[in-house]
């Protein structure tokens, strides 16, 4: 499925829509729904003051003038440089910096029992089928948003025959007719009507960001779960029919899973759950989503929802770059030791 939205790499886009009028803050339909690593501007002022106090205290004993460089290098000064001076001080800084983004790899109630897959998807049909089966289990293991359903009504997903209508809604959004576009997404997303998975994803994003409607993160998460479940129904039938590369709803399934990962990572409409976010990102990444690949790499690099593993982080960053989604400043991922790790792993998996 072609991307209809370019993912916005600024976390503040979502925050901005909550405080301003929906009709005047919505971007043109170039939705790109990934989010960049947290920066100092995302940290609460009180946490910034605590970090500053710790840095000043440390600098009183061991002072090194900050090296000249780009903004990213300066942002990393307070974590990397201070860590080298004092382990205890670095720990305090990191706890305050990541306090609302707590890293965890504990078992999550939002993850069903998933099959263990020991090797990444290298593009062959067998790998593709295993990861898609994992995606359908992940999607079907979600609690169904029963409150969206009228009693006694079927919710068999509709995939065909609505492309023209969806395209019309997207065109309306691109012409900044946000209310009309969102109303069309809502009608096509109705689980007691057309029940279209793609429209459910697009309506969920409209609800999350307040595009032509009131922001409702909780209902947005419900529609994403519904979209994932409906798309999984279609894909399960395709897999049973021997279609190893998936069926007509594969794109909707991947997109819904990626967006649910964002929900769990950011706490949008659901409790924040980094362990769940990691599993959702990992599944979408191994089904070809390049933004999910970068998010998996970040999770491995920082230990968000999983154990730190810089070798795996490098591998996923390289995978995303090879598919055209490059992250600036990541030349370290091409060091010999990280390349050798991937080559050795490929030989072991043969």
């Amino acid at each position: 499925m072609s991307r209809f939205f370019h993912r916005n790499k600024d976390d503040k886009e979502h925050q901005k829509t909550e405080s301003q009028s929906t009709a005047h803050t919505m971007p043109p339909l170039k939705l790109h729904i990934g989010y960049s690593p947290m920066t100092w501007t995302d940290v609460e002022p009180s946490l910034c003051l605590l970090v500053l106090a710790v840095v000043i205290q440390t600098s009183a004993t061991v002072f090194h003038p900050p090296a000249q460089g780009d903004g990213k290098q300066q942002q990393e000064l307070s974590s990397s440089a201070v860590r080298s001076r004092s382990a205890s001080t670095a720990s305090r800084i990191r706890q305050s910096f990541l306090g609302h983004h707590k890293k965890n790899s504990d078992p999550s109630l939002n993850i069903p029992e998933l099959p263990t897959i020991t090797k990444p998807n290298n593009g062959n049909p067998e790998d593709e089928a295993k990861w898609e089966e994992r995606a359908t289990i992940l999607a079907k293991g979600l609690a169904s948003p029963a409150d969206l359903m009228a009693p006694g009504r079927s919710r068999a997903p509709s995939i065909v025959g609505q492309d023209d209508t969806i395209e019309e809604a997207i065109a309306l959004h691109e012409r900044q007719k946000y209310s009309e576009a969102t109303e069309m997404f809502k009608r096509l997303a109705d689980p007691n009507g057309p029940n279209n998975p793609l429209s459910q994803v697009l309506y969920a994003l409209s609800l999350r960001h307040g595009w032509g409607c009131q922001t409702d993160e909780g209902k947005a998460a419900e529609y994403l779960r519904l979209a994932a479940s409906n798309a999984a129904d279609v894909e399960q039938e395709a897999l049973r029919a021997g279609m190893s590369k998936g069926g007509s709803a594969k794109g909707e399934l991947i997109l819904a899973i990626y967006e649910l990962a964002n929900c769990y990572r950011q706490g949008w409409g659901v409790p924040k759950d980094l362990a769940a976010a990691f599993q959702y990102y990992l599944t979408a990444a191994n089904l070809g989503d390049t933004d999910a690949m970068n998010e998996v790499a970040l999770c491995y690099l920082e230990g968000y929802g999983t154990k730190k593993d810089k070798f795996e982080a490098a591998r996923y960053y390289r995978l995303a770059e090879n598919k055209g989604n490059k992250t600036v400043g990541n030349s370290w991922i091409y060091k010999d030791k990280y390349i050798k790790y991937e080559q050795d792993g490929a030989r072991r998996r043969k």
Side-chain angles (χ1 to χ4, degrees), residues 139-140 142-150 155 191-192 195 200 218-230 260:
K140 297 300 291 182
L142 298 168
S144 298
D147 55 325
L148 295 177
M149 299 295 302
R155 68 179 189 91
N192 302 301
N195 199 31
Q200 286 161 353
K219 185 173 285 188
E222 291 177 356
Y223 269 96
L224 287 172
R225 286 193 290 264
L226 184 60
S229 179
N230 283 341
L260 282 165

Side-chain angles (χ1 to χ4, degrees), residues 304-336:
Y304 296 152
T306 188
K307 292 182 179 179
K308 282 188 177 183
D309 190 328
K310 201 167 183 179
F311 291 89
E312 282 295 308
R315 187 169 70 81
Y316 275 94
Y317 274 135
R318 286 197 306 273
L319 186 60
E321 283 202 9
N322 290 339
K323 293 182 178 293
N325 195 339
K326 184 176 182 178
T327 301
V328 177
N330 266 359
S331 59
W332 64 269
I333 66 178
Y334 291 102
K335 289 183 178 179
D336 289 344

Side-chain angles (χ1 to χ4, degrees), residues 11 34-39 42 100-102 258-268 270-278 281 291 294-296 298-299 302 304:
D11 286 344
Y35 296 87
S36 60
M38 187 168 57
T39 64
D42 298 313
H100 70 293
H101 214 293
K102 183 180 179 182
Y258 176 86
E259 284 306 323
L260 282 165
N262 285 333
C263 288
Y264 285 121
R265 179 184 171 190
Q266 304 292 344
W268 289 337
V270 295
K272 193 174 292 188
D273 185 340
L274 297 185
F278 171 73
Y281 283 136
D291 287 308
N294 279 325
E295 297 295 353
V296 169
L298 178 65
C299 289
E302 297 292 346
Y304 296 152

Side-chain angles (χ1 to χ4, degrees), residues 19-295:
S19 61
Q20 298 183 3
S21 169
T22 60
H24 299 288
T25 61
M26 291 170 279
L29 192 58
K30 294 183 179 178
L31 312 170
H32 192 79
I33 318 137
Y35 296 87
S36 60
M38 187 168 57
T39 64
W40 286 108
T41 56
D42 298 313
V43 185
E44 294 180 4
S46 58
L47 296 182
C48 291
L49 291 174
L50 175 59
V51 173
L52 180 60
V54 174
V55 172
I56 293 173
Q57 180 182 4
T58 305
S59 300
T61 56
V62 183
F63 175 73
H64 296 284
Q68 297 297 318
D70 58 22
K72 182 177 179 182
Q73 291 174 327
Q74 293 177 2
Q75 284 182 356
E76 292 173 348
L77 176 65
S78 58
S79 58
S80 61
V82 175
R83 182 162 54 247
S84 67
R85 301 169 193 169
S86 167
S88 60
T89 300
S91 176
R92 290 171 59 194
I93 290 177
R94 200 159 185 79
Q95 288 174 9
S96 64
F97 180 68
L98 298 171
H100 70 293
H101 214 293
K102 183 180 179 182
K103 297 179 285 186
N104 70 75
S105 56
D106 298 332
S108 168
L109 297 176
N110 298 304
I111 306 173
E113 186 174 349
L114 297 170
T116 301
I117 304 177
T118 57
K119 67 180 192 175
N121 181 3
N122 291 317
N124 65 64
E126 183 180 353
D127 290 342
E128 190 80 12
K130 286 181 178 179
W131 280 101
E132 184 157 7
E133 181 185 9
R134 189 182 198 270
T136 61
I137 294 172
L138 191 62
K140 297 300 291 182
L142 298 168
S144 298
D147 55 325
L148 295 177
M149 299 295 302
R153 296 295 297 276
S154 170
R155 68 179 189 91
S158 172
I159 301 297
V160 297
Q162 297 170 350
D163 288 349
D164 292 343
T165 310
I166 295 173
E167 291 289 349
E168 182 183 350
I170 293 171
L172 284 170
H173 190 114
E174 290 176 337
R175 295 200 302 270
Q176 300 185 12
K177 297 182 180 296
Y178 304 115
S179 297
E180 295 177 45
T182 299
E183 191 60 34
M184 289 187 70
F185 290 143
K186 179 181 179 180
R187 178 172 59 80
L188 292 168
D190 184 1
N192 302 301
N195 199 31
N196 181 269
L198 177 56
S199 295
Q200 286 161 353
V201 172
L202 300 180
Y203 182 50
L205 297 179
S206 298
L207 288 168
R208 177 198 287 174
H209 297 282
W211 293 326
C213 61
Q214 290 295 317
T215 301
D216 190 334
E217 293 179 352
K219 185 173 285 188
E222 291 177 356
Y223 269 96
L224 287 172
R225 286 193 290 264
L226 184 60
S229 179
N230 283 341
D233 286 339
V234 176
E235 294 309 291
Q236 284 177 334
E237 289 296 326
L239 291 172
R240 281 193 285 267
M243 300 170 63
S244 60
K245 289 189 175 296
S248 58
K250 183 176 180 178
E252 289 88 334
L253 177 60
I254 297 170
L255 183 56
I257 286 177
Y258 176 86
E259 284 306 323
L260 282 165
N262 285 333
C263 288
Y264 285 121
R265 179 184 171 190
Q266 304 292 344
W268 289 337
V270 295
K272 193 174 292 188
D273 185 340
L274 297 185
F278 171 73
Q279 292 298 332
Y280 282 74
Y281 283 136
L282 183 66
T283 302
N286 278 281
L287 288 174
D289 190 294
T290 58
D291 287 308
M293 293 171 192
N294 279 325
E295 297 295 353

